[in-house]
Amino acid sequence: MMAGLLTLVVVLCLINTGWGQEAPYRIHTLFSVECQNYFDWQTVGLVHSFRKSGQPGPITRLLSCTDEEKKSYRGMDLAPTFEVPSMSRHPRTGDWYPAINKPAGVVHWLKHSKDAQNVDWVVILDADMIIRGPILPWEIGAEKGRPVAAFYGYLVGCDNVLAKLHTKNPELCDKVGGLLAMHIDDLRALAPMWLSKTEEVREDTAHWSTNITGDIYGKGWISEMYGYSFGAAEVGLRHKINDNLMIYPGYIPREGVEPILMHYGLPFSVGNWSFSKLEHHEDDIVYDCGRLFPEPPFPREVKAMEPDKHKVRGLFLNLECINTLNQGLIIQHAAFGCPKPKWSKYLSFLKSKHFAELTRPKGLTPKSLQIMETHVQEHINYDEPENLPTKIHTLFSTECSTYFDWQTVGLMHSFGLSGQPGNITRLLSCTEEDLKKYKGHDLAPTHYVPSMSRHPLTGDWYPAINKPAAVLHWLNHVKTDAEFIVILDADMIMRGPITPWEFKAAKGKPVSTPYDYLIGCDNELAKLHTSHPEACDKVGGVIIMHIDDLRKFALLWLHKTEEVRADTAHYGKNITGDIYGTGWISEMYGYSFGAAELKLQHVISRDIMIYPGYAPEPGVKYRVFHYGLHFRVGNWSFDKANWRDVDLVNNCWAKFPDPPETSEADRTNEESYQRDLLSIECGKTLNEALQLHHERRRCGDVRESSRVPPPPDMDIVDEVMFERSDNRSEKVVDPLLPSESSQTLLDFRFWMIFLWASSVLGFGVVMMVILRGKRQKKRGKKSRSVSSRGEFKENLGNR
């Protein structure tokens, strides 16, 4: 009986750990990293998630380091590691290109690792990933000769001259990457070609440009990705492409789909909290005992801020990603012998059964498999994904000044509460000089753009031109899969989602809000500046536009702004409606005239935006406050222009004067009452945003902090927008660094094997004692056995 039990346990252990597996079940997971702090914290997160997910088989980190780097490297024990020679500096060309270490590492592993001789399937991941459930190649559809991969739609070089230049089979080029699951025989055929084609594309500097490769920097940084696609095409591998297995945090999964892999290569946010891996490029958080990434909101807080269950799913993925990273850091710090961290509500949550339940291993859903089969069998054109949900990206333009910083804090806070789908990006215009002293880089996901406040050709000082210039720069330098773009101003507060499907936006039919004072659409101004004055719409503020329309329109928006701005002869109020007659609203006309030039007829909605201080239409749920004008409730008033030179963001606990309570709203009539309620809501939301901002910045005791005095003349209406003193600036953008690393801790299954074996052996001893009738001795041994199991469980719980 004892022999049978022990045999059963051993068999179960071997099956569960992947030891002794028979084809096709032998799996090995690989990821590539370098000797850097940046990859070390990613390694900790990936390896921890690997353990939690139940992924079968071993995992190996392909570690590329120079001999010099290894002398000071501290992370050798972070994961099961196979050292490979570094090719960051190419031995032949001298080119500095660390991304080539990924194919070079795979080639070296195949040639020199014994593990490569005892495996059937290989799963290749990037380091900046979190595994949520087992990735079984045969279950997700991989076959010998047909690997499975995730979709990388921005690899436009598969459709143009680049593929024709670098592969004999351009028709087989697949836009894939991220997740790769393939048979070992396919990898052996592919790997040398992957490396060779990477070198080839990297050396083809004549074809690095964005329009050919899709590389937003035009620096050849994604040569390794093309090396993979062209290498696979060269050896005749055609992929099964699945766009459901992997998700970027910040996106909402499709209905009925459970992603089993998160790729946190892009910034993401929950409410006012956000995370971007590039902000932690030099972070030694793995070796800094007790330090974690900033804690996100708790799940119950997210449920309270977002009533839409579908959107909550996406926000919960964001939480799961960062919480898994932090949980891995806690365990790693303990493995390093760090002192036990002080109790906190957040640490208690990460150790709770509730978090364990939220992050239990996920499995593929029938919907995931069904969609995957559809993609493979029908060969859907991913350039026009008709069956995919509409994706939205929100943009707003600012400058490097504290005036725009507090507006950014307000807009970002409201964006998190609004339920707006998709990501948001701040287009930040600063000169290099301003950028050196600028402190607000962390206030929002940011794209830096060249400043045109001082026009490079005319010398004209006109900061408003930065809005169309920034949008154009973003389109030319960022690859987006969004179908619709929502453009806002910084001085706005979102109250709900702004979606194309609700407001009837379509390709060729943008949506905007009325700017009735743009009288130049009705007179000679439109006739002078557009070929189609009849198509001129008096719109602005909030814009919802299809990405294809925006790509055609953005350059015209900029050019028409320059044209109207240069037409000083027609600045008059009677011609433009500009109350100052200074040409300040040239950018607004640039938008209307540019759209008219393309005959873009707007759906004009009065239900999206309202100015605080205006009476709302009964029953309308406005989505945006535009607090560009002075407004008041009783003796309290607010005018954004009065706060132009007050630093509310960098002075702890600074805020605006508190608005009245709702009980103080004017109840003379329902119209006045609703007007005041909206004004109070706007003021309170701005102060809530500042309060949370100061809390995130870990400001000290409010009583000891410097309080910012209110500005003078609070009740003076000052709308002279052209007196801005703040500058916009030049773009400073570094190429994205390679995201090819992962990490692991001690194998959880080892402890399970140890516990099972101990339990069975203990049980056997007890049974033998009972059979011999030694009652007293039996109790002693049973006590010791239970104690031993308790110690192991306690040790397991502490890890």
Side-chain angles (χ1 to χ4, degrees), residues 439-578:
K439 301 177 182 178
H441 297 283
D442 63 340
L443 298 180
T446 300
H447 178 73
Y448 299 84
V449 298
S451 174
M452 280 189 64
S453 294
R454 181 74 64 191
H455 197 282
L457 297 179
T458 67
D460 177 41
W461 176 255
Y462 183 54
I465 200 173
N466 281 308
K467 184 175 181 180
V471 171
L472 180 63
H473 192 275
W474 182 81
L475 287 169
N476 287 335
H477 291 81
V478 173
K479 188 69 178 178
T480 179
D481 61 353
E483 186 178 350
F484 280 90
I485 306 299
V486 175
I487 302 176
L488 305 176
D489 288 336
D491 58 342
M492 290 181 170
I493 294 294
M494 296 186 69
R495 305 178 69 238
I498 305 167
T499 59
W501 51 85
E502 181 175 358
F503 293 101
K504 312 303 182 188
K507 192 171 181 178
K509 298 284 285 187
V511 170
S512 192
T513 50
Y515 270 8
D516 293 330
Y517 55 85
L518 297 180
I519 60 175
C521 274
D522 301 327
N523 57 37
E524 62 189 280
L525 197 67
K527 297 175 183 177
L528 286 169
H529 294 291
T530 173
S531 306
H532 307 288
E534 74 285 354
C536 184
D537 290 325
K538 303 176 185 178
V539 292
V542 177
I543 299 162
I544 312 171
M545 186 175 289
H546 194 279
I547 187 68
D548 292 347
D549 294 333
L550 189 61
R551 291 190 192 283
K552 299 173 186 175
F553 162 70
L555 186 60
L556 275 172
W557 183 5
L558 176 60
H559 284 172
K560 290 296 179 183
T561 298
E562 294 173 305
E563 185 180 312
V564 176
R565 178 70 180 171
D567 185 7
T568 56
H570 294 92
Y571 273 7
K573 179 181 176 181
N574 61 320
I575 295 176
T576 65
D578 179 356

Side-chain angles (χ1 to χ4, degrees), residues 245-264:
L245 301 175
M246 185 182 81
I247 194 168
Y248 289 89
Y251 284 83
I252 301 173
R254 296 180 180 90
E255 196 68 38
V257 169
E258 189 68 79
I260 56 174
L261 192 64
M262 289 189 284
H263 190 181
Y264 56 89

Side-chain angles (χ1 to χ4, degrees), residues 295-314:
E295 61 186 68
F298 290 97
R300 65 175 180 275
E301 296 172 333
V302 173
K303 286 183 178 178
M305 73 170 68
E306 177 51 68
D308 189 324
K309 292 182 179 179
H310 185 53
K311 294 171 186 173
V312 166
R313 286 185 69 212

Side-chain angles (χ1 to χ4, degrees), residues 205-338:
T205 56
H207 294 92
W208 277 6
S209 60
T210 304
N211 63 319
I212 294 177
T213 64
D215 179 355
I216 61 174
Y217 303 105
K219 302 288 187 181
W221 194 255
I222 60 177
S223 298
E224 174 272 316
M225 299 181 186
Y226 279 114
Y228 178 88
S229 292
F230 295 160
E234 200 74 357
V235 298
L237 285 179
R238 199 66 195 263
H239 295 78
K240 293 184 178 182
I241 302 173
N242 191 308
D243 204 23
N244 301 307
L245 301 175
M246 185 182 81
I247 194 168
Y248 289 89
Y251 284 83
I252 301 173
R254 296 180 180 90
E255 196 68 38
V257 169
E258 189 68 79
I260 56 174
L261 192 64
M262 289 189 284
H263 190 181
Y264 56 89
L266 303 175
F268 58 96
S269 62
V270 180
N272 288 319
W273 175 93
S274 64
F275 179 82
S276 173
K277 71 169 188 175
L278 290 180
E279 293 177 358
H280 300 276
H281 186 251
E282 303 295 336
D283 203 327
D284 66 348
I285 194 168
V286 170
Y287 309 102
D288 191 355
C289 285
R291 187 162 69 87
L292 306 176
F293 294 115
E295 61 186 68
F298 290 97
R300 65 175 180 275
E301 296 172 333
V302 173
K303 286 183 178 178
M305 73 170 68
E306 177 51 68
D308 189 324
K309 292 182 179 179
H310 185 53
K311 294 171 186 173
V312 166
R313 286 185 69 212
L315 295 177
F316 270 23
L317 284 176
N318 298 357
L319 300 182
E320 182 181 333
C321 181
I322 194 66
N323 286 335
T324 302
L325 281 170
N326 277 340
Q327 189 181 47
L329 287 170
I330 292 170
I331 297 173
Q332 187 60 51
H333 291 162
F336 280 156
C338 292

Side-chain angles (χ1 to χ4, degrees), residues 2 19 28 107 113 180 207 221 225 231 236 247-248 273 310 318 378 426 445 468 495 576 586 626 644 694 696 714 790:
M2 272 301 300
W19 301 338
H28 203 115
V107 169
S113 172
L180 303 170
H207 294 92
W221 194 255
M225 299 181 186
I247 194 168
Y248 289 89
W273 175 93
H310 185 53
N318 298 357
E378 297 182 6
R426 170 180 62 166
R495 305 178 69 238
T576 65
S586 299
H626 191 181
R644 187 177 303 279
H694 295 313
R696 284 197 309 276
M714 285 293 294

Side-chain angles (χ1 to χ4, degrees), residues 131-152:
I131 308 173
R132 305 181 71 233
I135 305 170
L136 307 177
W138 55 90
E139 184 175 325
I140 62 177
E143 304 172 54
K144 190 173 180 178
R146 293 296 303 275
V148 167
F151 178 59
Y152 271 5

